Amino acid sequence: MLSCGTWLLKPYEEKEWNFYEFLPCHFPQMLEWIPHYNGLIELNIKPNISSLKSSSKNHTGKEESRISEKAQHEKLNWLATLYQKRLLTGKRKYIQLQDLTIDKVRPCILDLKLGSQPFIPNKVEHQMKKLKLTTSAQLGFRICGMQVYQKNFNSTIYKDKYWGRTVKSENLIYAISLFFFDGKKICKRMLSSFIEKIENLMSTVEECQGLQFVSSSLLLVYDGVAHYDKNIEVKVIDFSHSKITQKEAPDEDILEGLGNILKTIKKIREEKYELEKYWVEKLSGQFNFHISLEVTNKISFENV
C-alpha cells in the first residue's frame, strides 16, 4: 500500500476494482461503511533504496543510541530487502482509497479479519486448519493487526497478524481491550461510540441481500490524542474475494463476526475497571521493549 496525499494506493485487483465500481449503483447504503473510492491511477514506481538510509538517520529517541552501528547496518539491509520484495515497481495500476488516518495525529487502528469459512477452493483444507487455530472458527473474526498510542510512554504498541492468531477466545477480551487502553484508562464514551457505529453497520449489512463480504476486514480507527469519542472510524475493507449472489438473504457469516465483535466491546465496557487495572499492572515496567524498525517513538512491547 502506497500513500499519495490524502489517498492510499492499493495494487490493482480486478475483482476488488469491480466491487468498488459496482457498489454505488446496487448497494449505495454501504458507501458510508467503506473508504471513499477515487478510481484508478497508473504510476511508474522506481525503487529508491537510498531513501531508507536518510530515514534511518532521523531517529532521535534515547533508546536509539543503544543500537550499535552493526545493528543499524543489519536493519538497513533488512529494510532494503523487504523494500525490494514487497514494493511493486514499474508501471502499474492502483486503486485510490481514502486514507483513514490522514487527520489523526496519533492514529490507533484495529484490523479484524471477518468470516469463519474458507474462501479459496483449492485451499479449503489448509484454510480450515488455520481458521480452527484462531478465534475465526468459533467467533467469526480474529485480530489481524493493531497499533495503539500510549500517552504515558509517548509511544505506540504494535501487534501483527501472527500475534492475532495466537489470541484464544478465553483471553480475547484482554487483547481487544488493549486497543482502547491509553496507558492509564479506557474511555467509556469511545466504547459507546464504536458500539453505536457497529450496530448501525450491522443494520446496513442486513439490508444488502446477496452481497457476500468474503474475507473482508473491519477497521476501527481513532486518534490517540484527540477526544476519544470524536472522529472515530468504522469501515469495512478488502473486497478481492467479495461477490454478489442470487441469495435473498444478507451475509450471515459477516453478521456473526460483527455480532461477536459487538458483544466483546460491550463486555469491555462492563468490565472497564478490571481491564484498566490489568493493563496498568501489565505495562508498568513489567515488559521488555525495543525500538521499532520503522519510526522513532514507536515501541513494540514484547511481553504484552
Side-chain angles (χ1 to χ4, degrees), residues 49-287:
I49 303 301
S50 61
S51 64
L52 295 174
K53 294 182 180 180
S54 60
S55 66
S56 70
K57 294 178 182 178
N58 291 330
H59 299 295
T60 57
K62 293 180 181 179
E63 293 297 329
E64 187 67 18
S65 62
R66 299 181 186 180
I67 302 178
S68 66
E69 289 186 12
K70 181 181 178 182
Q72 286 282 8
H73 180 71
E74 291 174 349
K75 166 188 166 181
L76 183 59
N77 287 340
W78 179 82
L79 284 173
T81 301
L82 188 65
Y83 185 96
Q84 290 172 318
K85 284 183 177 179
R86 296 291 179 86
L87 184 62
L88 298 175
T89 57
K91 195 172 184 180
R92 295 179 183 273
K93 290 190 289 187
Y94 295 87
I95 300 172
Q96 295 185 95
L97 299 172
Q98 173 192 10
D99 183 350
L100 299 174
T101 69
I102 198 69
D103 60 346
K104 311 290 190 296
V105 178
R106 294 288 188 175
C108 299
I109 307 166
L110 179 61
D111 183 345
L112 301 171
K113 179 63 71 176
L114 299 169
S116 61
Q117 301 300 318
F119 56 89
I120 301 178
N122 60 344
K123 294 185 178 180
V124 171
E125 187 175 344
H126 172 74
Q127 285 192 314
M128 278 306 302
K129 187 180 295 185
K130 183 190 293 186
L131 290 167
K132 287 178 179 178
L133 291 174
T134 71
T135 56
S136 291
Q138 184 178 352
L139 300 175
F141 78 95
R142 68 176 182 272
I143 299 174
C144 203
M146 179 195 303
Q147 71 176 53
V148 54
Y149 180 65
Q150 300 282 286
K151 283 186 177 179
N152 284 8
F153 305 109
N154 189 30
S155 57
T156 301
I157 293 177
Y158 284 96
K159 294 296 179 184
D160 62 19
K161 64 181 180 180
Y162 301 105
W163 174 80
R165 291 174 187 174
T166 68
V167 175
K168 304 302 179 186
S169 299
E170 56 269 23
N171 58 15
L172 180 65
I173 187 173
Y174 295 99
I176 298 289
S177 68
L178 174 60
F179 174 68
F180 301 106
F181 182 70
D182 68 0
K184 185 178 180 180
K185 66 182 186 304
I186 293 171
C187 179
K188 194 170 184 178
R189 286 185 303 173
M190 178 173 64
L191 292 173
S192 297
S193 295
F194 275 115
I195 287 169
E196 181 181 359
K197 281 185 175 288
I198 294 171
E199 287 175 338
N200 291 338
L201 169 59
M202 290 182 69
S203 296
T204 303
V205 171
E206 288 172 349
E207 296 174 7
C208 298
Q209 296 189 9
L211 185 58
Q212 301 291 300
F213 300 89
V214 183
S215 191
S216 293
S217 290
L218 183 72
L219 276 191
L220 307 186
V221 184
Y222 69 91
D223 192 339
V225 296
H227 293 289
Y228 295 139
D229 58 331
K230 306 293 184 182
N231 200 24
I232 70 170
E233 304 275 5
V234 173
K235 301 291 183 182
V236 183
I237 62 168
D238 297 337
F239 305 109
S240 58
H241 298 284
S242 297
K243 57 187 178 181
I244 309 299
T245 70
Q246 299 301 314
K247 293 181 180 179
E248 295 183 358
D251 188 337
E252 296 295 341
D253 198 33
I254 191 178
L255 285 171
E256 179 186 13
L258 290 172
N260 284 322
I261 292 168
L262 192 62
K263 289 177 184 176
T264 302
I265 298 176
K266 286 182 176 179
K267 191 173 181 182
I268 291 170
R269 185 172 61 178
E270 293 169 5
E271 301 181 15
K272 166 179 151 45
Y273 298 110
E274 291 80 1
L275 291 165
E276 285 175 342
K277 182 179 179 182
Y278 172 85
W279 282 117
V280 166
E281 293 175 353
K282 186 81 172 176
L283 297 178
S284 296
Q286 304 277 332
F287 46 76

